[in-house]
Amino acid sequence: MAACAPIDAELSRLVSGGISISLASCSPGGVPNMARGCGCRVAPDGRALTVLLVATPAAALLDDVRRSGRVAVVFSQPSTHFTVQFKGSDARIVPTEADDPQRAADYVERFAAELAALGYPGDVLRTLLLACPDDIVAIRFTLAAGYSQTPGPQAGAPLGGPA
Amino acid sequence: MKIRLEAIRDCLEGVIPGSIATASADGTPNIAYLSQVQYVDGEHVALSYQFFSSTRRNVLANSLARLALIDPFTAAHYRLTLQYLRTETEGALFEGMKAKLAGIASHTGMAGVFRLLGSDIYRVLDIEQVPGRTLPPRKARRNPLLALRRCSEALRDCADLECLLAEALAALAHHFDIEHAMVLVPDALHEALYTVASRGYQSSGVGSEIPFGHGVIGVAARERAPIRIGHFSSEYAYGRAIRASLSASGQGDRLETEIPLPGLQDVRSQLAVPICAGGRLLGVLCVESGQDLAFDYDDEDVLVALAGQLGATMLLLQHGADGPEEAVRGRAAVATAGGRPLVVRHFDENDSIFLGEDYLIKGVAGSILWAMLRDHADSGRVTFSNRELRLDPRIRLPELGDNLEARLILLRRRLEERAAGVRIERAGRGRIRLCVERSLQLQDVPRQRPNSFTRS
């Protein structure tokens, strides 16, 4: 697995902004599981991510992460197609911070604003992602690998080695 | 209750991109967004394969995958368990997805980047609805089954092709609010389709042609499969396609014989459905809209069903069109008006006909008119039966796929639109009458050496 450069300020701003977030895991039987993210924090050194999720719809993925520590997270900005995927093998479920419910609510509004600019109504997104604050969980992992997935010739290229 | 794939087709229209989770042989997960998820049948979907990705590498090693889909109206969130089966790189499904992807690419600024390499076919093993809130389902625009019934009823009394096609297009407008539609029929000799009926366009475009394999219409004809795109794509814009095709084949100098295709200037959505019966392609029904994503899977179902009835009726009418022939042959009853004669030129090379300086028609329809005009000039005949035209050696009608009636409709409409004093009209079952309202001067231009074809 390719090593991954730390997330710089610009990338940090992107992945913490109103961007589509999805996660995948793998069950012991080899069947993948998946869930949508509802917010993201980047560690100050840029080497770890904490992704917020709504626990109930992510139950199977959370089970896999507890068991294997492996996770994949993709971020994609609909307006630009900018897409990046990070992988971790030490993922664990960590306690949420006090401002995480607000962070998740802000995320949904920022993402809705991004989509509104493209003509998509926001109520569907809010219905999909707005969660009861008690149901928010966080997964933290250090970046084991990162890839560009923006459509085009560079799709699949690693984000670079350790800095 | 098990969720059926049919019940969640709204999720497959691409409004909210789906995502696919896969895992490598060693259990490393991967997740990617998808440009396109295509409904294949009740148990299969096809995903677009655009470049060799981790997803592809994974499913080749571990065929199990999960697909997340979101209903763009209710926010209902579904997860499908899939098993990768195979990749198709040609055929109806592939061409349908390629056309749709071209529209998506163009709409999202990805023209030239999104390119379909294959259609990955997956079996749907399970569909689960993810727990979460949903919005109330959207109000149905109409009951599609009832609207289809009304369309079907509108067609059952049509006794000739022209009535059938006009009623079909009117019924689509009345019962489905589809205001822009056309029917094209194939010309077996030229490997093209020509417009025989249209509705909702500034000019009828009757007689205009599109080559097989070009635009949504030409691809629908070639693949005998519905082609539906929800966003404008220059790749499938047929106005350009025919011009490019003609230039490529070195026939660009003959563009003066081109009749502009009907079509919306700002077309965003197109759906072309083949009309087939008895194992033959009889035509293509194409509907258009200026709105993005105007036609959905339900509309496609409706048009395919309607095209079935159209095809069966067209075949029936084609076989019965000749009818019992009347023995009496009409003579010119009305003396043609005097004045300056209209010069009618016939170019033997492609049977094109010019009325004065204006191009009228070419091909089989041109040879039909020329035969009638010659007979009229020689003997004053005005009435002709379909049967004798079919057998006339001067008319180069292809033996297979012959649709004389479609050509007569085309010819009648073109003469009507030219309004040059020459018309044809129906004269009872299986018969047509030539009406010449001014004196004519016929000029036959024999075949010349290649590339010397000119209008003068």
Side-chain angles (χ1 to χ4, degrees):
Chain A
M1 190 178 283
C4 183
I7 292 175
D8 63 17
E10 192 191 343
L11 188 52
S12 175
R13 190 177 48 74
L14 275 167
V15 300
S16 313
I19 191 167
S20 182
I21 308 172
S22 289
L23 301 89
S25 63
C26 182
S27 72
V31 182
N33 280 304
M34 62 204 306
R36 289 197 75 99
C38 60
C40 175
R41 283 186 264 125
V42 180
D45 67 359
R47 293 176 192 276
L49 284 176
T50 303
V51 181
L52 306 180
L53 303 88
V54 186
T56 305
L61 176 130
L62 293 170
D63 283 348
D64 291 343
V65 169
R66 279 189 200 98
R67 200 179 292 117
S68 73
R70 285 174 160 180
V71 73
V73 186
V74 66
F75 298 86
S76 186
Q77 187 174 42
S79 61
T80 62
H81 298 278
F82 168 82
T83 306
V84 63
Q85 178 166 201
F86 295 103
K87 297 196 182 189
S89 52
D90 64 350
R92 61 190 201 283
I93 294 149
V94 295
T96 52
E97 294 181 355
D99 61 353
D100 279 344
Q102 188 57 49
R103 188 186 307 276
D106 291 347
Y107 161 79
V108 174
E109 286 313 311
R110 281 205 293 263
F111 191 17
E114 158 92 13
L115 292 181
L118 299 175
Y120 296 104
D123 54 342
V124 169
L125 189 76
R126 291 188 188 93
T127 304
L128 180 72
L129 293 178
L130 270 183
C132 168
D134 296 344
D135 203 20
I136 291 175
V137 293
I139 290 178
R140 181 186 162 91
F141 65 97
T142 50
L143 308 180
Y147 307 91
S148 164
Q149 282 186 303
T150 305
Q154 292 304 308
L159 289 179
Chain B
M1 193 180 75
K2 191 170 155 51
I3 299 169
R4 293 165 59 88
L5 193 55
E6 282 83 356
I8 63 166
R9 285 195 303 181
D10 278 347
C11 302
L12 307 181
E13 297 293 357
V15 178
I16 300 177
S19 53
I20 185 168
T22 57
S24 65
D26 75 352
T28 303
N30 191 81
I31 183 156
Y33 289 100
L34 293 161
S35 304
Q36 197 182 13
V37 181
Q38 173 80 28
Y39 172 85
V40 178
D41 60 34
E43 290 170 353
H44 299 87
V45 291
L47 312 186
S48 59
Y49 159 37
Q50 297 175 51
F51 48 89
F52 195 83
S53 60
S54 297
T55 296
R56 187 157 183 83
R57 189 176 304 116
N58 286 353
V59 297
L60 293 176
N62 167 13
S63 62
L64 293 172
R66 279 252 161 80
L67 172 68
L69 297 172
I70 292 154
D71 186 301
F73 303 105
T74 68
H77 185 176
Y78 300 94
R79 284 191 202 126
L80 285 66
T81 308
L82 305 180
Q83 182 175 28
Y84 170 75
L85 297 178
R86 65 182 186 277
T87 299
E88 294 184 1
T89 56
E90 58 179 17
L93 176 70
F94 175 79
E95 292 294 341
M97 289 182 69
K98 190 176 156 196
K100 203 179 275 189
L101 185 65
I104 294 166
S106 167
H107 182 63
T108 56
M110 282 286 156
V113 176
F114 285 176
R115 190 168 65 91
L116 193 68
L117 296 180
S119 301
D120 288 344
I121 316 287
Y122 288 81
R123 186 193 308 283
V124 179
L125 303 176
D126 185 48
I127 302 176
E128 61 166 319
Q129 184 166 1
V130 179
R133 293 183 304 143
T134 57
L135 297 169
R138 67 173 166 160
K139 232 177 150 185
R141 287 177 295 170
R142 65 180 68 82
N143 178 335
L145 207 53
L146 176 60
L148 177 60
R149 171 193 165 153
R150 296 282 182 240
C151 289
S152 178
E153 286 170 343
L155 301 187
R156 63 187 181 192
D157 291 332
C158 294
D160 66 76
L161 182 64
E162 191 165 16
C163 162
L164 178 75
L165 299 181
E167 285 294 332
L169 299 186
L172 285 175
H174 292 149
H175 303 298
F176 285 96
D177 300 320
I178 293 175
E179 302 291 347
H180 311 284
M182 58 184 119
V183 176
L184 295 92
V185 297
D187 180 333
L189 283 184
H190 295 86
E191 296 192 312
L193 298 123
Y194 59 92
T195 311
V196 73
S198 71
R199 183 187 164 101
Y201 297 104
Q202 278 199 325
S203 68
S204 80
V206 164
S208 54
E209 290 186 11
I210 178 100
F212 269 63
H214 286 258
V216 294
I217 295 165
V219 176
R222 190 185 66 200
E223 302 297 331
R224 297 194 184 189
I227 302 291
R228 176 164 61 97
I229 62 176
H231 308 285
F232 171 80
S233 159
S234 57
E235 199 178 325
Y236 285 82
Y238 38 69
R240 217 158 304 178
I242 184 166
R243 209 162 261 120
S245 154
L246 285 170
S247 327
S249 60
Q251 296 179 310
D253 56 334
R254 298 189 190 175
L255 275 179
E256 75 275 11
T257 58
E258 184 185 324
I259 301 166
L261 278 144
L264 295 177
Q265 285 218 314
D266 51 354
V267 64
R268 307 291 275 274
S269 296
Q270 293 176 299
L271 168 56
V273 171
I275 300 169
C276 297
R280 281 165 49 195
L281 176 77
L282 299 175
V284 172
L285 170 62
C286 178
V287 299
E288 298 189 318
S289 167
Q291 306 290 317
D292 283 314
L293 297 169
F295 307 117
D296 59 17
Y297 281 101
D298 285 349
D299 295 316
E300 189 178 313
D301 291 347
V302 162
L303 258 68
V304 169
L306 194 64
Q309 186 182 356
L310 274 178
T313 312
M314 282 167 78
L315 199 59
L316 196 68
L317 291 175
Q318 215 165 297
H319 286 158
D322 292 356
E325 195 179 335
E326 287 177 35
V328 184
R329 286 185 169 174
R331 296 246 159 205
V334 191
T336 50
R340 220 168 121 239
L342 173 68
V343 177
V344 181
R345 277 173 302 165
H346 167 254
F347 290 83
D348 190 48
E349 179 165 348
N350 61 356
D351 284 318
S352 59
I353 303 250
F354 286 77
L355 300 180
E357 290 303 311
D358 298 324
Y359 168 67
L360 178 74
I361 199 86
K362 68 177 179 197
V364 175
S367 66
I368 292 170
L369 179 62
W370 189 243
M372 291 196 293
L373 289 174
R374 291 302 298 259
D375 286 358
H376 176 261
D378 293 346
S379 65
R381 259 189 85 186
V382 290
T383 309
F384 301 83
S385 77
N386 285 8
R387 183 168 295 163
E388 68 178 314
L389 291 175
R390 204 183 294 285
L391 298 173
D392 194 320
R394 294 170 297 178
I395 296 164
R396 294 185 268 258
L397 205 59
E399 280 179 35
L400 254 175
D402 141 23
N403 193 344
L404 179 68
E405 209 183 350
R407 292 191 167 85
L408 291 173
I409 292 173
L410 169 66
L411 182 57
R412 192 185 68 67
R413 290 291 305 271
R414 285 292 293 164
L415 286 166
E416 195 178 280
E417 286 171 10
R418 276 280 171 254
V422 180
R423 292 183 291 115
I424 58 169
E425 58 184 30
R426 290 175 62 86
R429 189 177 169 81
R431 289 152 56 83
I432 50 169
R433 183 180 298 117
L434 176 69
C435 306
V436 178
E437 287 151 5
R438 59 192 285 190
S439 56
L440 304 177
Q441 184 189 333
L442 306 186
Q443 288 181 1
D444 203 1
V445 183
R447 193 179 294 264
Q448 296 173 13
R449 64 184 173 81
N451 300 325
S452 65
F453 179 80
T454 56
R455 286 181 57 173
S456 52

